[in-house]
Amino acid sequence: MISVEEALERILSYVSVLEPEEKRILDALGQVLAEDVTSSIDIPPLDNTAMDGYAVRAADAAGATPERPVRLRVAGELAAGHLYEGEVEPGAAVRIMTGAPMPAGADAVVPFEDTNESGAHAFGRFSKAVDSVLVCKAARPGDNVRQAAEDVCRGALVLGRGAVLRPAHVGILASLGRTTVRVVRRPVVAILSTGDELAQVGEPLRPGAIYDSNSHSVAAMVLQNGGIPRILGIARDTVEDLTAKIRQGLDADMLITSAGVSRGDYDVVKDVLAREGEVDFWTVRMKPGKPLAFGAFTSGQRRIPHIGLPGNPVSSMVTFELFGRPAVFKMMGKTRWQRPVVRATSEERIVNTDGRRVYARAVVTQRDGRYYASLTGPQGSGILTSMSLANALAIVPEDSPTVEPGEEVSVVMLEWSQGED
Ligand code: AMP
Ligand code: MG
């Protein structure tokens, strides 16, 4: 039996970062940037106004106060997207809207709130065009002006290779005028359930059968973590059927099977693995999830990593979380797959019977600045509802005795929300 850390290390040594692909910027959301993105333009391209108001020469309005306003001649109006022709002369101002480029000669903007447009009469495109305006507050050079290139300078490195694209990144790419971007492609993960007792959803349930839930919970986890799941279906517990079904998945980037790895069944998966590839390890010192198998299938020149998850529905999800998710992340080019771990006060007894690391399904809540962990009910590895209620896994280390109520435990946060998204 190897440790959780060693198992993860071995699995990750078999998987590598996938090749890049060109994607439309929105479709690249969540993927890892495979190029350095530099800008060929300044953003903003020109000095422009941050407020609706009057573009002025600051020197003209330097002494303005509400009691002693300064009257300026209104020389014109300017909306965003238009350039002002000519120059703002001393004693003049241009009525200007947010985002419009600063007219030549002006070096400050006085917001409407600090002006008095009384005497206004309507003409032209804008309803409130005026002949002259009173500035009621002193202006200093640069007031309410957004400087050209204050966000991005032409030639600057804006996004670095390795960044995980979030909505702001997609927006930045658009602001640079990019339609597509190079990102590491998402891994295709083939998923196969094994077991004579399994029935496909949608089929009637014959006596003694259960529905295959693992294919779906694991596929959902692959999807949620950025991979592309490909459900292969159900293989019967025979070498022939398992071999045939596994071969259908060998063009994927990784193969995940569930079940057929516990002591009674293991021989089938092991026989197939040994014949078509190699077995790296079997059994990890953890609970649930001890009978985890790992190896690789060979297909031509390719070696396809294979994680054999245990069949119990909770075990397969917990082991995918600990080993499958980091493998998917690594293939996607992500380097940080550690979940946040916090210390919480256990509200319940968490039993550790046989020196394996326990991952108990827990609900973590925060009260008065402290975290509390309670179990989600019976912890049997077949009780999938215990997983659906959990937002965390509480860890009892291999060498620690049972945790008593009131004692501290480390909890891996799966979700920060407390039950509701
Ligand atoms: P095994 O690892 O084959 O011994 O399976 C362990 C337990 O998990 C058994 O009770 C199986 O019926 C159950 N099991 C195996 N595969 C699945 C599956 N795909 N969906 C739901 N339960 C499963
Ligand atoms: Mg079985």
Side-chain angles (χ1 to χ4, degrees), residues 194-195 197 237 259-260 265:
T194 72
E197 76 279 33
D237 285 323
D265 279 339

Side-chain angles (χ1 to χ4, degrees), residues 265-286:
D265 279 339
Y266 181 57
D267 283 351
V268 184
V269 174
K270 191 178 67 181
D271 281 356
V272 176
L273 241 190
R275 241 184 17 199
E276 311 266 322
E278 69 204 47
V279 184
D280 189 272
F281 67 79
W282 173 51
T283 67
V284 181
R285 203 171 164 202
M286 62 183 287

Side-chain angles (χ1 to χ4, degrees), residues 65 146-147 226 346:
T65 63
R146 301 192 283 220
Q147 303 296 324
S346 182

Side-chain angles (χ1 to χ4, degrees), residues 13 50 104 116 149 162 164 179 190 195 231 241 263 275 277 394:
S13 76
N116 185 339
V164 181
T179 54
I231 294 180
D241 197 35
R263 204 162 282 279
R275 241 184 17 199

Side-chain angles (χ1 to χ4, degrees), residues 7 108 191 307 320 398:
I191 297 163
I307 304 180
F320 180 87
E398 294 84 336

Side-chain angles (χ1 to χ4, degrees), residues 54-133:
Y54 281 88
V56 302
R57 290 172 172 267
D60 284 349
T65 63
E67 296 73 34
R68 305 192 54 147
V70 172
R71 184 172 294 278
L72 297 174
R73 180 174 61 81
V74 176
E77 277 187 324
L78 190 63
H82 299 271
L83 291 174
Y84 188 72
E85 285 169 22
E87 195 171 320
V88 178
E89 280 158 9
V94 167
R95 201 163 190 271
I96 194 167
M97 309 306 147
T98 303
M102 289 295 286
D107 59 0
V109 171
V110 182
F112 284 137
E113 303 82 290
D114 298 326
T115 66
N116 185 339
E117 292 182 313
S118 61
H121 63 271
F123 72 86
R125 249 181 89 201
F126 300 101
S127 57
K128 259 199 133 191
V130 289
D131 298 335
S132 69
V133 63

